[in-house]
Amino acid sequence: MKEIIEFIHEPDQLDNLKATYVRMSKERREETILAITDTKEGGAGKFLVSVLPSEPDKEVQKLIRKQIFKLKTMGIKIEEERPAGESALKKIETKRQHKGFMFNYDSTGTRTVIAAFEVKRNGFIFINAVIHLADGLIDLKLAPLTGDDVETIMAKYRTETTKSTVLAETSPRYAAYLIEEGNAISHLYTEDVTQLRRFVSSLKDSIEKPQDIYGLKIPGTFEPLPPGAVLLDDMFTSLTLSWDTIEEDRRAIETFDKPAILLPSHMVREKEESFVKTLIEKEVLKSKITLLRRVFEDYAYIFFQIERFDCFHDLLHLLTSDRGLTEALSFFAKKSLIAPDPEEERRQSSLIVSPYEQIHS
């Protein structure tokens, strides 16, 4: 690691430094990445960009992307490798085959959005975008691939899905929309995203923007969920919120569980509910409603695509209810402040089943 830090500012040493890096253990590579970022040198960014494509471990890949983003926010110019010649995003032909996919958010607040556009017979431009819940588009990669390459990559992605990590096919236009939306927050890939917008402008899909999701028609019949029960679905397990005063608020709400005078559990819960209700009326959390709406719209689309129509129906009902988003915000704010044990979650389930039901009928 010392050798890499010492010569990080010398471009002619890059190949030697990469060779040293790849021989390290995972733990040493992670330590090296953090140490390199701390140097705050332009060479640090160049080194991280150069080792990212060959990094085999997904956790380390995420760390590298995070540190590249951190360096950019410090004002350090980082030039990412681009294929030579004209843009790969030429004028699209609507008769060709195009695909889009998206994951839900993981425990780090990131998700992957994928698009594959056929630009010539069996020749695709494959776009892999990493989008953070708060920071927007933090990584964008474009690569020319064959149709078989695309299927191989997507097959690998599908093997990584779990009960809480879901991959759903989307319209190609919607995948492009998500990438544009993410860049509108981060502004890291404006040139590429501008080209992408021009590239897909001639495409027509039934779902192109979030408002189109509300018009999706459920085929056949399904067994509806109790209102709000969708929030307990595995796909929402990793979804939490963050805000500027969250650590201070956590300390405040923890005092309810450790009062000077021991209180019955129902009184503790009442105090917590009152605290969260007051909190979500503040601007720091009120502003999260727009973010939550967009998450729910995307998740509704995912549920529809994987034919979980009960969850799709419940989310749409929540999105269009007068108090649905406010009650959902309360639920996720409390979830972000408190880590309930399994028994407590079962006791609270009746509240979540109907989060926007009026107290007085």
Side-chain angles (χ1 to χ4, degrees):
M1 181 170 71
K2 290 182 179 179
E3 177 186 348
I4 294 177
I5 300 298
E6 183 179 353
F7 293 100
I8 196 68
H9 59 283
E10 298 187 16
D12 60 339
Q13 294 294 319
L14 183 59
D15 288 341
N16 292 334
L17 300 184
K18 286 168 63 177
T20 301
Y21 172 86
V22 298
R23 291 194 296 268
M24 293 178 174
S25 66
K26 175 185 174 182
E27 291 73 18
R28 291 290 288 169
R29 295 201 306 275
E30 289 175 329
E31 291 174 5
T32 300
I33 290 163
L34 294 172
I36 285 172
T37 307
D38 289 340
T39 67
K40 301 178 183 179
E41 292 197 21
K46 190 168 184 178
F47 177 81
L48 293 177
V49 168
S50 69
V51 298
L52 178 58
S54 58
E55 172 55 57
D57 189 278
K58 285 190 67 176
E59 291 182 4
V60 182
Q61 289 174 10
K62 283 187 177 182
L63 177 62
I64 293 173
R65 293 189 184 100
K66 181 180 178 181
Q67 299 310 106
I68 290 174
F69 179 68
K70 181 178 179 180
L71 288 171
K72 287 181 178 179
T73 61
M74 294 176 183
I76 297 173
K77 187 176 180 181
I78 299 176
E79 294 185 6
E80 300 200 39
E81 296 179 4
R82 298 173 181 270
E86 64 178 315
S87 169
L89 296 174
K90 301 176 184 177
K91 182 71 174 178
I92 197 167
E93 292 186 34
T94 56
K95 64 181 179 181
R96 296 193 185 278
Q97 184 181 14
H98 314 296
K99 300 178 181 180
F101 304 88
M102 69 171 162
F103 281 94
N104 60 319
Y105 289 99
D106 65 16
S107 59
T108 66
T110 59
R111 63 171 171 178
T112 300
V113 174
I114 300 160
F117 298 101
E118 191 177 20
V119 292
K120 61 182 180 180
R121 185 173 178 80
N122 199 38
F124 289 81
I125 292 300
F126 186 82
I127 303 174
N128 191 98
V130 179
I131 299 174
H132 187 271
L133 183 63
D135 299 328
L137 181 64
I138 58 174
D139 188 64
L140 184 67
K141 292 288 186 294
L142 288 78
L145 299 177
T146 66
D148 289 342
D149 292 334
V150 173
E151 289 304 317
T152 299
I153 291 173
M154 295 314 303
K156 185 176 185 302
Y157 271 125
R158 290 186 184 99
T159 63
E160 296 174 358
T161 60
T162 64
K163 289 177 67 177
S164 60
T165 305
V166 182
L167 173 66
E169 188 164 358
T170 71
S171 77
R173 276 299 299 269
Y174 197 78
Y177 175 88
L178 294 177
I179 295 171
E180 289 183 45
E181 181 184 49
N183 188 68
I185 299 171
S186 69
H187 303 288
L188 293 178
Y189 298 92
T190 300
E191 183 179 341
D192 286 332
V193 171
T194 299
Q195 292 179 13
L196 175 61
R197 187 184 304 118
R198 293 170 183 159
F199 182 64
V200 301
S201 61
S202 59
L203 270 184
K204 298 297 178 186
D205 284 317
S206 59
I207 304 297
E208 298 183 4
K209 295 183 178 181
Q211 53 263 39
D212 299 329
I213 293 166
Y214 294 84
L216 287 169
K217 303 298 182 185
I218 297 174
T221 60
F222 67 97
E223 186 69 29
L225 294 172
V230 67
L231 300 184
L232 297 175
D233 187 85
D234 289 325
M235 200 164 79
F236 285 99
T237 299
S238 59
L239 183 63
T240 57
L241 300 176
S242 181
W243 56 94
D244 292 342
T245 61
I246 189 169
E247 293 302 328
E248 178 184 336
D249 295 329
R250 278 176 179 155
R251 288 191 292 271
I253 206 168
E254 281 174 0
T255 62
F256 300 144
D257 281 322
K258 303 172 184 177
I261 300 175
L262 188 64
L263 298 174
S265 60
H266 74 275
M267 291 185 67
V268 174
R269 301 288 82 82
E270 287 173 2
K271 283 179 171 289
E272 290 174 348
E273 294 292 343
S274 178
F275 181 86
V276 172
K277 182 179 179 181
T278 302
L279 183 62
I280 66 171
E281 290 174 354
K282 297 179 180 179
E283 187 58 34
V284 68
L285 261 179
K286 269 188 177 180
S287 61
K288 300 292 182 183
I289 283 188
T290 300
L291 175 67
L292 206 57
R293 179 186 297 277
R294 282 294 300 112
V295 172
F296 285 2
E297 287 168 339
D298 288 348
Y299 281 26
Y301 191 15
I302 291 175
F303 280 129
F304 185 89
Q305 291 298 92
I306 63 176
E307 299 185 357
R308 295 187 59 190
F309 300 124
D310 52 350
C311 292
F312 168 75
H313 177 268
D314 196 21
L315 266 188
L316 277 199
H317 185 62
L318 196 153
L319 281 162
T320 55
S321 165
D322 289 340
R323 291 185 51 79
L325 281 172
T326 300
E327 295 296 343
L329 178 62
S330 177
F331 168 60
F332 283 107
K334 186 173 181 181
K335 176 183 174 183
S336 303
L337 289 168
I338 306 169
D341 58 42
E343 185 61 33
E344 179 62 23
E345 282 191 303
R346 283 192 289 273
R347 287 199 297 268
Q348 299 247 2
S349 63
S350 59
L351 170 67
I352 306 307
V353 163
S354 185
Y356 39 78
E357 182 180 359
Q358 296 296 320
I359 295 176
H360 303 289
S361 57

